[in-house]
Amino acid sequence: MGQKIHPGGLRVGVIHDWKSNWYTGTKEFSAFLLEDIKIREHIYGKLEHAGLSDILIRKDAQRITIDIYTARPGIVIGKSGVEVDALRKEIHGMTNKAVHININEIKRPELDAKLVAQSIAEQLQNRVSFRRAMKRSLASAIRSGAQGIKITCGGRLGGAEMSRSETYSEGRVPLHTIRADIDYGFVEAKTTFGRIGVKVWINKGEIMPEGYSGAAEGTRLGEQDQARRRGGALEGLGASRESARNRSQDREGLGPVKRRRGPGGGPGAGRGGKRSGARPASSRRPRTSEAPRSETARAGETVERPRTDETGKSAEGRDQPSINPEVETMPAPVAEAPDTTPQQDAPSSDADQDKKPRGGRQTKTSDTE
């Protein structure tokens, strides 16, 4: 049902109002209804290219008030109001009643479903790719501040022989959420190869009842539901529900229940009670002098930082002994001593003196001996 019912008719009387406001008896009801249909058909046919979005009709006994919402008020009014006067005379001739016409301008046509569908249909008639037209409208609506948008085109898309329908959506479009302000528009594009229907759904946000405190905060209930599923912080109605569910943990003012440690002695112990790779308690070395851990180390940091202050105290409460760094000094270099090794004397044996070199120049020996 949610995919086939008109989103505006589902919300009439809750967040939307009727588009025709009048009251009559049973006998005149059909005449009044046909009169409304003829007025709308005439206005849409005459001002087809004026970007009309909606027409509201209010009837009294001898007076008809028509509110026209358009994106191009200049075309509807005409030069010095000529077009409006002509339209008023034509409707007066159809109904024989006094006609009053109000023209309202739509400031943001990207957020009006009827206007978005009309723009896509005009692009399809001008042989623009349907994917490009749909994606461009998606991007402009999200950029203008829409919560979500869905567009469906059905027919002989791209001139194909087999008709099909394609849908592109972005954001959140909850059709079953009655508090969601969803605008719906339908336009048919008359192309050379047949008609292509264009449907547009635009989610403009959520309309909350009067006196709701969470409406001023700007947080939608849909976002609170998602936060509750993900385990995040809640506000408003969701917070009160979650607080009621968790009251059993407080134990009547005794504080939250502490988790019991396993038989292994720590939160990391497995089902068997001890870690598989942990050493027994008897083989662990006791810590003698250990500096107190910082707050970040207690929060889960396992690496201890070396102390840099001289006024700190050890774990036993004693003053930290002053540490003088021992610098190894090298001995001064010794000056080089003169070379006192005796040089090798000439050979004193007569046999060596009588010997002459085998090759080269011969040297003369002195006859002083």
Side-chain angles (χ1 to χ4, degrees):
M1 284 297 292
Q3 297 179 357
K4 300 174 180 63
I5 195 169
H6 195 287
L10 179 65
R11 291 162 176 80
V12 165
V14 183
I15 61 173
H16 289 171
D17 199 2
W18 285 262
K19 294 187 178 181
S20 294
N21 290 288
W22 44 264
Y23 181 81
T24 184
T26 308
K27 296 181 180 180
E28 296 87 5
F29 182 83
S30 59
F32 273 53
L33 181 60
L34 288 175
E35 193 176 65
D36 284 0
I37 294 174
K38 290 180 180 179
I39 289 173
R40 284 194 171 90
E41 286 180 352
H42 178 75
I43 295 176
Y44 279 126
K46 184 176 182 179
L47 304 175
E48 183 179 1
H49 301 287
L52 298 183
S53 171
D54 207 354
I55 297 175
L56 305 182
I57 300 176
R58 296 192 303 273
K59 289 183 180 179
D60 296 334
Q62 297 295 327
R63 181 186 178 92
I64 298 178
T65 303
I66 302 174
D67 295 335
I68 300 177
Y69 291 84
T70 175
R72 303 170 184 172
I75 298 178
V76 179
I77 297 173
K79 188 175 183 180
S80 65
V82 177
E83 297 292 336
V84 178
D85 295 338
L87 182 63
R88 185 183 299 110
K89 291 178 181 179
E90 293 173 357
I91 297 176
H92 174 71
M94 294 169 56
T95 60
N96 295 324
K97 295 180 181 180
V99 179
H100 183 72
I101 297 177
N102 299 323
I103 298 175
N104 304 313
E105 181 183 2
I106 298 176
K107 301 294 184 180
R108 303 168 73 179
E110 298 87 2
L111 296 180
D112 193 282
K114 188 70 177 292
L115 297 180
V116 172
Q118 286 180 6
S119 66
I120 295 175
E122 291 178 2
Q123 295 179 53
L124 293 178
Q125 291 177 3
N126 296 331
R127 298 182 178 273
V128 178
S129 174
F130 68 95
R131 288 193 181 90
R132 181 180 303 175
M134 294 167 70
K135 291 181 180 179
R136 187 181 303 169
S137 300
L138 282 176
S140 62
I142 294 298
R143 197 184 310 115
S144 299
Q147 300 288 340
I149 179 174
K150 182 171 70 172
I151 303 175
T152 299
C153 290
R156 296 181 60 184
L157 300 177
E161 293 185 2
M162 292 288 290
S163 63
R164 69 183 191 276
S165 63
E166 291 202 10
T167 303
Y168 288 90
S169 63
E170 187 172 353
R172 180 171 170 267
V173 185
L175 298 179
H176 286 81
T177 305
I178 300 182
R179 65 172 177 263
D181 184 13
I182 294 181
D183 192 11
Y184 173 75
F186 171 72
V187 176
E188 285 185 348
K190 301 175 183 179
T191 61
T192 56
F193 41 80
R195 294 199 177 190
I196 296 178
V198 182
K199 296 181 180 180
V200 178
W201 295 263
I202 296 179
N203 181 16
K204 299 180 181 179
E206 294 180 351
I207 300 177
M208 305 307 299
E210 295 181 0
Y212 178 69
S213 59
E217 300 174 3
T219 304
R220 299 185 295 112
L221 292 184
E223 296 177 355
Q224 294 187 7
D225 295 341
Q226 293 180 1
R228 180 176 57 81
R229 295 189 199 102
R230 297 172 183 172
L234 301 177
E235 295 179 1
L237 299 176
S240 60
R241 293 170 187 161
E242 289 298 322
S243 61
R245 294 174 187 171
N246 297 331
R247 284 173 187 170
S248 60
Q249 297 182 3
D250 294 337
R251 298 190 305 167
E252 299 180 359
L254 297 179
V257 181
K258 295 183 179 180
R259 295 183 180 179
R260 295 182 180 179
R261 294 193 175 186
R271 295 183 179 178
K274 293 184 179 180
R275 299 180 184 177
S276 57
R279 294 183 298 174
S282 60
S283 62
R284 297 178 183 174
R285 297 180 180 177
R287 297 178 180 176
T288 55
S289 59
E290 177 181 302
R293 294 186 178 182
S294 60
E295 293 296 330
T296 57
R298 294 173 185 172
E301 189 176 328
T302 57
V303 180
E304 296 181 2
R305 299 181 180 178
R307 296 199 62 87
T308 56
D309 54 341
E310 298 294 339
T311 60
K313 294 184 179 182
S314 62
E316 289 79 1
R318 296 174 301 196
D319 294 338
Q320 192 76 6
S322 59
I323 301 174
N324 297 325
E326 296 181 0
V327 181
E328 185 179 356
T329 57
M330 298 294 294
V334 183
E336 296 183 359
D339 189 7
T340 56
T341 56
Q343 297 182 356
Q344 189 177 3
D345 297 337
S348 57
S349 59
D350 297 338
D352 294 337
Q353 292 181 359
D354 295 336
K355 290 183 180 179
K356 295 181 181 179
R358 294 179 182 178
R361 237 170 59 177
Q362 295 182 359
T363 56
K364 294 182 179 181
T365 57
S366 60
D367 299 333
T368 56
E369 296 178 356

